[in-house]
Amino acid sequence: MESNDKAHKLAGALEALLFAHGEPLEVKQIVKMLQNVFGEVTEGDTEAAIHVFRDELARESRGLTLVSANDQLQLVTKPALRAMIDAIVKEELQET
């Protein structure tokens, strides 16, 4: 598999992993989880997948972004959409 194809395939898995987990994950943990599914995955492969995924999320049509801090990654709502999310949550809380 070409490295570009591998990065795109791993980026899809990374998206699913971060979405399902919900909390920040250390890059080392991500590497291990990807290895469990795909076999040999290096930290470099994972960094390439992160780069691909971050580029995809940078498009204006996407509502999520990656936040990284202390060698951890988390999938979050883009700051520009925060007011909309706050309004939805507030409305739902008022209904209960």
Side-chain angles (χ1 to χ4, degrees):
M1 177 183 328
E2 287 186 31
S3 61
N4 194 33
D5 290 342
K6 186 174 187 178
H8 280 84
K9 185 174 185 176
L10 292 175
L14 175 65
E15 178 176 19
L17 177 62
L18 291 172
F19 176 79
H21 193 268
E23 297 295 321
L25 277 172
E26 289 186 10
V27 174
K28 285 189 258 183
Q29 290 175 292
I30 294 169
V31 172
K32 287 180 185 178
M33 292 174 183
L34 293 176
Q35 287 171 341
N36 288 338
V37 175
F38 296 102
E40 188 172 326
V41 175
T42 66
E43 192 166 330
D45 293 333
T46 303
E47 292 294 340
I50 291 167
H51 180 76
V52 166
F53 188 38
R54 192 179 300 277
D55 284 351
E56 290 173 1
L57 291 173
R59 294 188 313 225
E60 192 173 327
S61 63
R62 300 296 299 258
L64 302 173
T65 191
L66 279 180
V67 172
S68 53
N70 302 323
D71 205 34
Q72 295 184 331
L73 283 178
Q74 185 174 13
L75 189 60
V76 299
T77 305
K78 284 185 176 176
L81 299 173
R82 178 73 183 179
M84 178 189 72
I85 299 301
D86 288 345
I88 291 169
V89 170
K90 181 178 178 181
E91 184 178 312
E92 287 179 355
L93 289 174
Q94 291 175 348
E95 291 176 2
T96 56

